[in-house]
Amino acid sequence: MARLSVSGDGLKVGNRRACGRAGFERRRLGGAIPKGILTLWRSPPRTSPAQEVLAMESRIASSSDPPRPVGLMRKLRRAGGIVFDRVVWSVDRIFDYRHGTDTSGTIKLKDLRIGSKNVDHGRQYEPSPPNLFKQGMASLSIDHADFIFVDFGAGKGRTLLMASNFPFAEVIGVEFSEELHRIAQRNLAIYKSRRIRCAHRRSVCADATEYELPDANLVIYLANSFDGVVLAKVLSNIEKVAARRKVYLIYCEAIFSSLVDASGALPYKKPIKLPRLIMRRPRAFSSLIVYSNQKL
């Protein structure tokens, strides 16, 4: 703002450029500014601190801060992450390319015909990445021949195929969708890997809450196939077996881990740190926890 000084009957302008902006010319001999023009230059009247606070609160209430702009580097990282996710998602299909099976992709429950009363508590089908499964199995120090492997929410059966590469006494998949159950049966018949070490493999079409667990040492696999309502009932069935048998629970994407902790059936807990390659997948698996009634 131009600096004004009082001299005689008027105000002298001390800045030629400011004077030009106001729409008049400075006079050579100390010309005066009419009082009407003075209002263009006069500073706003001073206000009390209380008035300033009220004005500030009014501005805050009537306007919101604009969103912070996303920087270029953040945009590049985001775009690179999306590309990386898609590449890893494509690599995930290599399992089927190698074995001629059909276990990839995602299927929403609304696209399936399911007669179970717990259909609203289920989650869409999505296969477990082989690396994720290997991380969970590597954390177990057991004699596989003394255990039965059970997968709740087995879907198309990829986990059953991978579990059959270990010398379990039996591998069982529990799936409440008849369509996914039939696909799992076909995949079990097709899978002819030389790594198979368990000949007793089967898929059972049943609701997880109604399935009666074998009275044997168990390794139970759960990849977030249902919500806490169903999980609470499944944990109740697990607790009955854990009272007299060795039980291990491999819980992927452990959203409802608090329910497992609260049940007390599997008091020993071991979180597994996942490689970044697994966690960068679309709809990524972000956690893996192994529970047991035995020391880990």
Side-chain angles (χ1 to χ4, degrees):
M1 180 175 290
R3 187 167 50 188
L4 305 180
S5 60
V6 178
S7 175
D9 296 333
L11 297 176
K12 291 183 179 180
V13 180
N15 189 310
R16 181 186 299 273
R17 186 177 300 173
C19 198
R21 286 199 303 266
F24 55 85
E25 296 180 357
R26 178 184 178 186
R27 298 179 184 178
R28 292 182 178 180
L29 299 176
I33 302 176
K35 292 183 178 180
I37 303 298
L38 181 62
T39 57
L40 298 174
W41 301 94
R42 184 172 294 165
S43 301
R46 293 184 177 181
T47 57
S48 66
Q51 290 175 327
E52 292 179 358
V53 172
L54 291 175
M56 183 180 296
E57 291 178 350
S58 177
R59 288 194 299 270
I60 294 174
S62 61
S63 64
S64 59
D65 294 335
R68 296 179 61 185
V70 179
L72 177 61
M73 291 305 298
R74 183 175 295 180
K75 290 181 180 179
L76 292 175
R77 291 193 190 101
R78 184 180 299 172
I82 294 174
V83 173
F84 184 76
D85 286 345
R86 298 306 167 190
V87 171
V88 176
W89 184 253
S90 299
V91 171
D92 185 66
R93 296 179 178 273
I94 291 178
F95 183 91
D96 289 334
Y97 296 152
R98 291 177 58 190
H99 304 291
T101 53
D102 173 21
T103 65
S104 302
T106 59
I107 301 178
K108 297 182 179 180
L109 296 186
K110 66 180 183 180
D111 298 329
L112 300 170
R113 294 186 297 274
I114 302 174
S116 171
K117 60 183 179 182
N118 291 315
V119 63
D120 293 333
H121 302 291
R123 299 186 181 276
Q124 69 177 11
Y125 167 74
E126 181 180 2
S128 296
N131 286 340
L132 178 71
F133 179 79
K134 292 176 182 178
Q135 289 285 326
M137 294 300 298
S139 65
L140 304 181
S141 298
I142 61 174
D143 183 357
H144 298 83
D146 295 334
F147 287 80
I148 293 177
F149 180 90
V150 179
D151 178 16
F152 280 111
K156 294 182 178 181
R158 176 186 289 186
T159 304
L160 305 182
L161 305 182
M162 295 187 292
S164 66
N165 294 337
F166 295 85
F168 285 108
E170 188 176 9
V171 171
I172 304 173
V174 182
E175 173 56 48
F176 72 163
S177 167
E178 179 68 27
E179 296 165 86
L180 295 180
H181 162 66
R182 291 176 180 174
I183 296 175
Q185 287 183 317
R186 289 199 299 269
N187 287 327
L188 287 170
I190 293 172
Y191 188 67
K192 302 296 183 182
S193 173
R194 291 179 295 179
R195 298 181 180 180
I196 295 178
R197 302 185 64 187
C198 177
H200 303 286
R201 307 168 298 168
R202 59 191 175 99
S203 175
V204 178
C205 187
D207 190 291
T209 62
E210 301 173 354
Y211 179 73
E212 184 176 354
L213 289 166
D215 186 12
N217 298 330
L218 300 176
V219 172
I220 300 174
Y221 187 85
L222 179 60
N224 194 32
S225 301
F226 34 73
D227 63 12
V229 175
V230 173
L231 179 59
K233 297 178 182 179
V234 171
L235 288 173
S236 178
N237 296 334
I238 292 176
E239 186 176 0
K240 298 175 184 178
V241 180
R244 55 185 180 275
R245 298 289 188 175
K246 297 178 182 179
V247 177
Y248 292 85
L249 171 63
I250 302 175
Y251 190 6
C252 306
E253 192 66 5
I255 297 177
F256 303 102
S257 59
S258 58
L259 293 178
V260 185
D261 297 335
S263 70
L266 307 172
Y268 299 100
K269 176 180 178 180
K270 181 180 179 182
I272 306 299
K273 185 177 181 180
L274 297 177
R276 185 173 178 80
L277 181 62
I278 294 176
M279 299 178 67
R280 284 300 311 174
R281 297 178 70 252
R283 296 171 296 278
F285 290 90
S286 60
S287 60
L288 176 63
I289 303 177
V290 176
Y291 291 90
S292 180
N293 59 355
Q294 308 294 312
K295 288 186 177 181
L296 296 170

